[in-house]
Amino acid sequence: MAQVNLEHVWKIYEGKVEAVKDATFTVEDKEFVVLLGPSGCGKTTTLRMIAGLEEITKGTIKIDGRVVNDVEPKDRDIAFVFQNYALYPHMTVYENMAFGLKLRKVPKDEIERRVREAARILEIEHLLDRKPRQLSGGQRQRVAVGRAIVRNPKVFLFDEPLSNLDAKLRVQMRAELKKLHMRLEATIVYVTHDQVEAMTMADKIVIMKDGVIQQIGNPYEVYNRPANIFVAGFIGSPSMNFIPGKIIRGEGGLWVKTSGLKLKVPTEYEDKLSKYIDKDIIFGIRPENIYDKMFAIAPKPENTAEVIVDVVEPLGSETLLHVIAGEDRLVARVNAKTQAKEDQKIDLVFDMTTMHIFDKETEKEVLHW
């Protein structure tokens, strides 16, 4: 396997449309890197430039230390798994998996060995004589992956390979792809707009918006130390709560003051927030860090606020409370046994050690970043 390097890579289409702007990152040997972002953010274009399916406008792409800017896709030693699987409908599973090797004039017995081995790894040995139309979505996805495995490439490229599967099968296939990565010790670049896929599968996540990389980090880092409001809101479900407010000085130290909340800033954060006193900020806190007071352990008055329940969403193992605090709305993920009802006033406890503060002008995180 191999390292992949992008150095100041741009993709500009006719009409000066900048699809990818100054992308710089490294995929280490044997690393699973996910390009994550909403539709139109440039992640698939970036993947296609690595594959050679799109020409880069400027910058450098290296695979295994070799500059591949002008190298044909077939000579880059990569395997691309497409969103729609791109299987030949008139060929059997075996023929689909063997086709690329036949074009490279690999000996017949070697083709047989590689296809059988890939089929065994993916548990599709019993499907080798079937045509794609006789397969389920999950089986077609395995065949597409198998076709990539048999080539034994330096780098695997996946373009939203699970997006056509139902929710239950996506969960199963996420685990299968993660196991496959560990088994093959493969270098993988994987594109998705699904943050759950990214968080569960990636060693490293590259988050993009409007063609610009917003943050690069492991799942823990992008979740707990987001660089800005976009990253904080894109990672996590339900999304982080964002509430406009101010940092004020009050009894015992600094406080976060919004239209409906007044919450104490932990002492360890006061130095970092001192220059934001009396300035407009965005207060961020995740739903799972807000608790129904009835189930909170040793709640402190300075971290407790009265709110009005707007909507209750029972999810079985937990309940989402959509509440109103002054002029603002927020979501709390609370104990499933909560007694909260619509239009009722309840006390919520905020774990302020997990809070985030964003500069209102730049939208950058100023507390943990």
PDB file of all heavy atoms in Angstrom, residues 305-335:
ATOM      1  N   ALA A 305     -31.270  25.707  34.343  1.00  0.00           N
ATOM      2  CA  ALA A 305     -32.126  26.743  33.770  1.00  0.00           C
ATOM      3  C   ALA A 305     -33.537  26.196  33.562  1.00  0.00           C
ATOM      4  O   ALA A 305     -33.713  25.025  33.217  1.00  0.00           O
ATOM      5  CB  ALA A 305     -31.562  27.243  32.451  1.00  0.00           C
ATOM      6  N   GLU A 306     -34.521  27.060  33.768  1.00  0.00           N
ATOM      7  CA  GLU A 306     -35.913  26.688  33.517  1.00  0.00           C
ATOM      8  C   GLU A 306     -36.253  26.982  32.064  1.00  0.00           C
ATOM      9  O   GLU A 306     -35.963  28.054  31.543  1.00  0.00           O
ATOM     10  CB  GLU A 306     -36.838  27.470  34.438  1.00  0.00           C
ATOM     11  CG  GLU A 306     -38.306  27.037  34.312  1.00  0.00           C
ATOM     12  CD  GLU A 306     -39.234  27.833  35.218  1.00  0.00           C
ATOM     13  OE1 GLU A 306     -39.525  28.995  34.877  1.00  0.00           O
ATOM     14  OE2 GLU A 306     -39.645  27.281  36.263  1.00  0.00           O
ATOM     15  N   VAL A 307     -36.852  26.000  31.410  1.00  0.00           N
ATOM     16  CA  VAL A 307     -37.237  26.142  30.005  1.00  0.00           C
ATOM     17  C   VAL A 307     -38.663  25.650  29.820  1.00  0.00           C
ATOM     18  O   VAL A 307     -39.239  25.020  30.715  1.00  0.00           O
ATOM     19  CB  VAL A 307     -36.291  25.348  29.080  1.00  0.00           C
ATOM     20  CG1 VAL A 307     -34.863  25.849  29.209  1.00  0.00           C
ATOM     21  CG2 VAL A 307     -36.370  23.851  29.380  1.00  0.00           C
ATOM     22  N   ILE A 308     -39.230  25.919  28.651  1.00  0.00           N
ATOM     23  CA  ILE A 308     -40.576  25.443  28.314  1.00  0.00           C
ATOM     24  C   ILE A 308     -40.446  24.350  27.254  1.00  0.00           C
ATOM     25  O   ILE A 308     -39.790  24.532  26.233  1.00  0.00           O
ATOM     26  CB  ILE A 308     -41.450  26.591  27.776  1.00  0.00           C
ATOM     27  CG1 ILE A 308     -41.603  27.686  28.835  1.00  0.00           C
ATOM     28  CG2 ILE A 308     -42.827  26.062  27.366  1.00  0.00           C
ATOM     29  CD1 ILE A 308     -42.307  28.933  28.318  1.00  0.00           C
ATOM     30  N   VAL A 309     -41.064  23.210  27.514  1.00  0.00           N
ATOM     31  CA  VAL A 309     -41.015  22.092  26.568  1.00  0.00           C
ATOM     32  C   VAL A 309     -41.950  22.377  25.396  1.00  0.00           C
ATOM     33  O   VAL A 309     -43.124  22.693  25.585  1.00  0.00           O
ATOM     34  CB  VAL A 309     -41.420  20.774  27.255  1.00  0.00           C
ATOM     35  CG1 VAL A 309     -41.406  19.631  26.246  1.00  0.00           C
ATOM     36  CG2 VAL A 309     -40.502  20.470  28.424  1.00  0.00           C
ATOM     37  N   ASP A 310     -41.409  22.263  24.181  1.00  0.00           N
ATOM     38  CA  ASP A 310     -42.199  22.510  22.981  1.00  0.00           C
ATOM     39  C   ASP A 310     -42.642  21.189  22.345  1.00  0.00           C
ATOM     40  O   ASP A 310     -43.810  20.988  22.051  1.00  0.00           O
ATOM     41  CB  ASP A 310     -41.372  23.334  21.996  1.00  0.00           C
ATOM     42  CG  ASP A 310     -42.179  23.753  20.776  1.00  0.00           C
ATOM     43  OD1 ASP A 310     -43.381  24.018  20.935  1.00  0.00           O
ATOM     44  OD2 ASP A 310     -41.598  23.811  19.675  1.00  0.00           O
ATOM     45  N   VAL A 311     -41.678  20.271  22.142  1.00  0.00           N
ATOM     46  CA  VAL A 311     -41.977  18.981  21.514  1.00  0.00           C
ATOM     47  C   VAL A 311     -41.215  17.894  22.256  1.00  0.00           C
ATOM     48  O   VAL A 311     -40.052  18.076  22.625  1.00  0.00           O
ATOM     49  CB  VAL A 311     -41.562  18.973  20.023  1.00  0.00           C
ATOM     50  CG1 VAL A 311     -41.783  17.593  19.405  1.00  0.00           C
ATOM     51  CG2 VAL A 311     -42.321  20.036  19.235  1.00  0.00           C
ATOM     52  N   VAL A 312     -41.863  16.743  22.464  1.00  0.00           N
ATOM     53  CA  VAL A 312     -41.226  15.576  23.077  1.00  0.00           C
ATOM     54  C   VAL A 312     -41.129  14.481  22.015  1.00  0.00           C
ATOM     55  O   VAL A 312     -42.137  14.106  21.414  1.00  0.00           O
ATOM     56  CB  VAL A 312     -42.026  15.067  24.297  1.00  0.00           C
ATOM     57  CG1 VAL A 312     -41.358  13.824  24.881  1.00  0.00           C
ATOM     58  CG2 VAL A 312     -42.170  16.159  25.347  1.00  0.00           C
ATOM     59  N   GLU A 313     -39.915  13.966  21.803  1.00  0.00           N
ATOM     60  CA  GLU A 313     -39.701  12.894  20.821  1.00  0.00           C
ATOM     61  C   GLU A 313     -39.148  11.659  21.521  1.00  0.00           C
ATOM     62  O   GLU A 313     -37.937  11.562  21.743  1.00  0.00           O
ATOM     63  CB  GLU A 313     -38.700  13.334  19.752  1.00  0.00           C
ATOM     64  CG  GLU A 313     -39.238  14.296  18.720  1.00  0.00           C
ATOM     65  CD  GLU A 313     -38.240  14.496  17.588  1.00  0.00           C
ATOM     66  OE1 GLU A 313     -37.272  15.255  17.770  1.00  0.00           O
ATOM     67  OE2 GLU A 313     -38.428  13.861  16.530  1.00  0.00           O
ATOM     68  N   PRO A 314     -39.988  10.700  21.884  1.00  0.00           N
ATOM     69  CA  PRO A 314     -39.478   9.467  22.501  1.00  0.00           C
ATOM     70  C   PRO A 314     -38.786   8.592  21.441  1.00  0.00           C
ATOM     71  O   PRO A 314     -39.344   8.342  20.377  1.00  0.00           O
ATOM     72  CB  PRO A 314     -40.749   8.777  23.027  1.00  0.00           C
ATOM     73  CG  PRO A 314     -41.859   9.773  22.869  1.00  0.00           C
ATOM     74  CD  PRO A 314     -41.452  10.689  21.781  1.00  0.00           C
ATOM     75  N   LEU A 315     -37.577   8.125  21.742  1.00  0.00           N
ATOM     76  CA  LEU A 315     -36.835   7.284  20.812  1.00  0.00           C
ATOM     77  C   LEU A 315     -36.566   5.896  21.382  1.00  0.00           C
ATOM     78  O   LEU A 315     -35.772   5.139  20.839  1.00  0.00           O
ATOM     79  CB  LEU A 315     -35.504   7.954  20.449  1.00  0.00           C
ATOM     80  CG  LEU A 315     -35.598   9.313  19.757  1.00  0.00           C
ATOM     81  CD1 LEU A 315     -34.204   9.875  19.507  1.00  0.00           C
ATOM     82  CD2 LEU A 315     -36.363   9.215  18.444  1.00  0.00           C
ATOM     83  N   GLY A 316     -37.232   5.559  22.463  1.00  0.00           N
ATOM     84  CA  GLY A 316     -37.026   4.240  23.070  1.00  0.00           C
ATOM     85  C   GLY A 316     -35.954   4.282  24.131  1.00  0.00           C
ATOM     86  O   GLY A 316     -36.248   4.297  25.330  1.00  0.00           O
ATOM     87  N   SER A 317     -34.690   4.306  23.710  1.00  0.00           N
ATOM     88  CA  SER A 317     -33.585   4.302  24.668  1.00  0.00           C
ATOM     89  C   SER A 317     -33.310   5.690  25.243  1.00  0.00           C
ATOM     90  O   SER A 317     -32.586   5.828  26.232  1.00  0.00           O
ATOM     91  CB  SER A 317     -32.309   3.783  24.001  1.00  0.00           C
ATOM     92  OG  SER A 317     -31.947   4.618  22.916  1.00  0.00           O
ATOM     93  N   GLU A 318     -33.875   6.725  24.625  1.00  0.00           N
ATOM     94  CA  GLU A 318     -33.685   8.096  25.074  1.00  0.00           C
ATOM     95  C   GLU A 318     -34.842   8.929  24.552  1.00  0.00           C
ATOM     96  O   GLU A 318     -35.664   8.451  23.756  1.00  0.00           O
ATOM     97  CB  GLU A 318     -32.348   8.649  24.558  1.00  0.00           C
ATOM     98  CG  GLU A 318     -32.284   8.649  23.041  1.00  0.00           C
ATOM     99  CD  GLU A 318     -30.885   8.846  22.514  1.00  0.00           C
ATOM    100  OE1 GLU A 318     -29.921   8.774  23.301  1.00  0.00           O
ATOM    101  OE2 GLU A 318     -30.743   9.076  21.292  1.00  0.00           O
ATOM    102  N   THR A 319     -34.907  10.175  24.989  1.00  0.00           N
ATOM    103  CA  THR A 319     -35.953  11.080  24.534  1.00  0.00           C
ATOM    104  C   THR A 319     -35.330  12.414  24.152  1.00  0.00           C
ATOM    105  O   THR A 319     -34.450  12.919  24.857  1.00  0.00           O
ATOM    106  CB  THR A 319     -37.007  11.299  25.641  1.00  0.00           C
ATOM    107  OG1 THR A 319     -37.684  10.061  25.881  1.00  0.00           O
ATOM    108  CG2 THR A 319     -38.027  12.346  25.228  1.00  0.00           C
ATOM    109  N   LEU A 320     -35.772  12.966  23.037  1.00  0.00           N
ATOM    110  CA  LEU A 320     -35.336  14.296  22.634  1.00  0.00           C
ATOM    111  C   LEU A 320     -36.380  15.313  23.073  1.00  0.00           C
ATOM    112  O   LEU A 320     -37.572  15.156  22.780  1.00  0.00           O
ATOM    113  CB  LEU A 320     -35.149  14.380  21.126  1.00  0.00           C
ATOM    114  CG  LEU A 320     -34.114  13.462  20.487  1.00  0.00           C
ATOM    115  CD1 LEU A 320     -34.026  13.731  18.990  1.00  0.00           C
ATOM    116  CD2 LEU A 320     -32.756  13.650  21.133  1.00  0.00           C
ATOM    117  N   LEU A 321     -35.931  16.325  23.779  1.00  0.00           N
ATOM    118  CA  LEU A 321     -36.806  17.419  24.187  1.00  0.00           C
ATOM    119  C   LEU A 321     -36.441  18.669  23.391  1.00  0.00           C
ATOM    120  O   LEU A 321     -35.300  19.137  23.446  1.00  0.00           O
ATOM    121  CB  LEU A 321     -36.652  17.719  25.681  1.00  0.00           C
ATOM    122  CG  LEU A 321     -36.994  16.611  26.672  1.00  0.00           C
ATOM    123  CD1 LEU A 321     -36.805  17.118  28.104  1.00  0.00           C
ATOM    124  CD2 LEU A 321     -38.413  16.109  26.473  1.00  0.00           C
ATOM    125  N   HIS A 322     -37.404  19.176  22.631  1.00  0.00           N
ATOM    126  CA  HIS A 322     -37.233  20.462  21.957  1.00  0.00           C
ATOM    127  C   HIS A 322     -37.833  21.513  22.889  1.00  0.00           C
ATOM    128  O   HIS A 322     -39.029  21.465  23.197  1.00  0.00           O
ATOM    129  CB  HIS A 322     -37.960  20.464  20.617  1.00  0.00           C
ATOM    130  CG  HIS A 322     -37.442  19.438  19.661  1.00  0.00           C
ATOM    131  ND1 HIS A 322     -36.672  19.750  18.565  1.00  0.00           N
ATOM    132  CD2 HIS A 322     -37.577  18.070  19.644  1.00  0.00           C
ATOM    133  CE1 HIS A 322     -36.360  18.649  17.912  1.00  0.00           C
ATOM    134  NE2 HIS A 322     -36.900  17.619  18.544  1.00  0.00           N
ATOM    135  N   VAL A 323     -36.990  22.421  23.337  1.00  0.00           N
ATOM    136  CA  VAL A 323     -37.430  23.360  24.370  1.00  0.00           C
ATOM    137  C   VAL A 323     -37.193  24.795  23.932  1.00  0.00           C
ATOM    138  O   VAL A 323     -36.411  25.080  23.015  1.00  0.00           O
ATOM    139  CB  VAL A 323     -36.706  23.090  25.713  1.00  0.00           C
ATOM    140  CG1 VAL A 323     -36.929  21.639  26.159  1.00  0.00           C
ATOM    141  CG2 VAL A 323     -35.220  23.410  25.615  1.00  0.00           C
ATOM    142  N   ILE A 324     -37.878  25.718  24.631  1.00  0.00           N
ATOM    143  CA  ILE A 324     -37.750  27.146  24.370  1.00  0.00           C
ATOM    144  C   ILE A 324     -37.123  27.802  25.588  1.00  0.00           C
ATOM    145  O   ILE A 324     -37.573  27.609  26.726  1.00  0.00           O
ATOM    146  CB  ILE A 324     -39.128  27.776  24.078  1.00  0.00           C
ATOM    147  CG1 ILE A 324     -39.763  27.102  22.855  1.00  0.00           C
ATOM    148  CG2 ILE A 324     -39.002  29.285  23.867  1.00  0.00           C
ATOM    149  CD1 ILE A 324     -41.224  27.488  22.632  1.00  0.00           C
ATOM    150  N   ALA A 325     -36.052  28.561  25.360  1.00  0.00           N
ATOM    151  CA  ALA A 325     -35.386  29.302  26.430  1.00  0.00           C
ATOM    152  C   ALA A 325     -35.306  30.752  25.994  1.00  0.00           C
ATOM    153  O   ALA A 325     -34.468  31.106  25.160  1.00  0.00           O
ATOM    154  CB  ALA A 325     -33.992  28.736  26.690  1.00  0.00           C
ATOM    155  N   GLY A 326     -36.211  31.583  26.508  1.00  0.00           N
ATOM    156  CA  GLY A 326     -36.270  32.970  26.062  1.00  0.00           C
ATOM    157  C   GLY A 326     -36.691  33.024  24.609  1.00  0.00           C
ATOM    158  O   GLY A 326     -37.745  32.515  24.233  1.00  0.00           O
ATOM    159  N   GLU A 327     -35.845  33.621  23.751  1.00  0.00           N
ATOM    160  CA  GLU A 327     -36.154  33.733  22.330  1.00  0.00           C
ATOM    161  C   GLU A 327     -35.541  32.589  21.509  1.00  0.00           C
ATOM    162  O   GLU A 327     -35.658  32.576  20.284  1.00  0.00           O
ATOM    163  CB  GLU A 327     -35.624  35.073  21.805  1.00  0.00           C
ATOM    164  CG  GLU A 327     -36.250  36.284  22.488  1.00  0.00           C
ATOM    165  CD  GLU A 327     -35.573  37.580  22.053  1.00  0.00           C
ATOM    166  OE1 GLU A 327     -34.645  37.510  21.218  1.00  0.00           O
ATOM    167  OE2 GLU A 327     -35.973  38.642  22.559  1.00  0.00           O
ATOM    168  N   ASP A 328     -34.900  31.657  22.185  1.00  0.00           N
ATOM    169  CA  ASP A 328     -34.147  30.627  21.483  1.00  0.00           C
ATOM    170  C   ASP A 328     -34.733  29.239  21.692  1.00  0.00           C
ATOM    171  O   ASP A 328     -35.395  28.965  22.699  1.00  0.00           O
ATOM    172  CB  ASP A 328     -32.684  30.640  21.949  1.00  0.00           C
ATOM    173  CG  ASP A 328     -32.031  31.991  21.722  1.00  0.00           C
ATOM    174  OD1 ASP A 328     -31.990  32.437  20.564  1.00  0.00           O
ATOM    175  OD2 ASP A 328     -31.595  32.615  22.708  1.00  0.00           O
ATOM    176  N   ARG A 329     -34.447  28.377  20.722  1.00  0.00           N
ATOM    177  CA  ARG A 329     -34.869  26.978  20.796  1.00  0.00           C
ATOM    178  C   ARG A 329     -33.645  26.090  20.851  1.00  0.00           C
ATOM    179  O   ARG A 329     -32.638  26.383  20.197  1.00  0.00           O
ATOM    180  CB  ARG A 329     -35.730  26.611  19.582  1.00  0.00           C
ATOM    181  CG  ARG A 329     -37.052  27.359  19.530  1.00  0.00           C
ATOM    182  CD  ARG A 329     -37.832  27.046  18.253  1.00  0.00           C
ATOM    183  NE  ARG A 329     -39.106  27.735  18.256  1.00  0.00           N
ATOM    184  CZ  ARG A 329     -40.227  27.246  18.755  1.00  0.00           C
ATOM    185  NH1 ARG A 329     -40.228  26.024  19.293  1.00  0.00           N
ATOM    186  NH2 ARG A 329     -41.347  27.935  18.725  1.00  0.00           N
ATOM    187  N   LEU A 330     -33.730  25.015  21.608  1.00  0.00           N
ATOM    188  CA  LEU A 330     -32.636  24.064  21.671  1.00  0.00           C
ATOM    189  C   LEU A 330     -33.177  22.664  21.904  1.00  0.00           C
ATOM    190  O   LEU A 330     -34.352  22.474  22.211  1.00  0.00           O
ATOM    191  CB  LEU A 330     -31.617  24.437  22.752  1.00  0.00           C
ATOM    192  CG  LEU A 330     -32.086  24.603  24.193  1.00  0.00           C
ATOM    193  CD1 LEU A 330     -30.962  24.244  25.148  1.00  0.00           C
ATOM    194  CD2 LEU A 330     -32.489  26.054  24.446  1.00  0.00           C
ATOM    195  N   VAL A 331     -32.288  21.682  21.714  1.00  0.00           N
ATOM    196  CA  VAL A 331     -32.668  20.272  21.849  1.00  0.00           C
ATOM    197  C   VAL A 331     -31.833  19.650  22.943  1.00  0.00           C
ATOM    198  O   VAL A 331     -30.618  19.867  23.020  1.00  0.00           O
ATOM    199  CB  VAL A 331     -32.442  19.509  20.526  1.00  0.00           C
ATOM    200  CG1 VAL A 331     -32.815  18.035  20.681  1.00  0.00           C
ATOM    201  CG2 VAL A 331     -33.248  20.142  19.406  1.00  0.00           C
ATOM    202  N   ALA A 332     -32.479  18.868  23.806  1.00  0.00           N
ATOM    203  CA  ALA A 332     -31.789  18.113  24.859  1.00  0.00           C
ATOM    204  C   ALA A 332     -32.065  16.635  24.658  1.00  0.00           C
ATOM    205  O   ALA A 332     -33.206  16.239  24.395  1.00  0.00           O
ATOM    206  CB  ALA A 332     -32.261  18.557  26.238  1.00  0.00           C
ATOM    207  N   ARG A 333     -31.029  15.810  24.772  1.00  0.00           N
ATOM    208  CA  ARG A 333     -31.186  14.353  24.700  1.00  0.00           C
ATOM    209  C   ARG A 333     -31.165  13.845  26.132  1.00  0.00           C
ATOM    210  O   ARG A 333     -30.122  13.841  26.786  1.00  0.00           O
ATOM    211  CB  ARG A 333     -30.054  13.748  23.887  1.00  0.00           C
ATOM    212  CG  ARG A 333     -30.106  12.230  23.802  1.00  0.00           C
ATOM    213  CD  ARG A 333     -28.902  11.685  23.053  1.00  0.00           C
ATOM    214  NE  ARG A 333     -29.048  11.822  21.625  1.00  0.00           N
ATOM    215  CZ  ARG A 333     -28.063  11.663  20.747  1.00  0.00           C
ATOM    216  NH1 ARG A 333     -26.850  11.395  21.164  1.00  0.00           N
ATOM    217  NH2 ARG A 333     -28.280  11.780  19.456  1.00  0.00           N
ATOM    218  N   VAL A 334     -32.312  13.410  26.623  1.00  0.00           N
ATOM    219  CA  VAL A 334     -32.447  13.118  28.052  1.00  0.00           C
ATOM    220  C   VAL A 334     -32.848  11.661  28.287  1.00  0.00           C
ATOM    221  O   VAL A 334     -33.109  10.902  27.349  1.00  0.00           O
ATOM    222  CB  VAL A 334     -33.477  14.066  28.716  1.00  0.00           C
ATOM    223  CG1 VAL A 334     -33.070  15.525  28.513  1.00  0.00           C
ATOM    224  CG2 VAL A 334     -34.890  13.825  28.153  1.00  0.00           C
ATOM    225  N   ASN A 335     -32.902  11.296  29.553  1.00  0.00           N
ATOM    226  CA  ASN A 335     -33.289   9.950  29.959  1.00  0.00           C
ATOM    227  C   ASN A 335     -34.678   9.605  29.426  1.00  0.00           C
ATOM    228  O   ASN A 335     -35.592  10.428  29.451  1.00  0.00           O
ATOM    229  CB  ASN A 335     -33.270   9.869  31.497  1.00  0.00           C
ATOM    230  CG  ASN A 335     -33.378   8.449  32.001  1.00  0.00           C
ATOM    231  OD1 ASN A 335     -34.363   7.760  31.776  1.00  0.00           O
ATOM    232  ND2 ASN A 335     -32.352   8.006  32.712  1.00  0.00           N
TER     233      ASN A 335
END
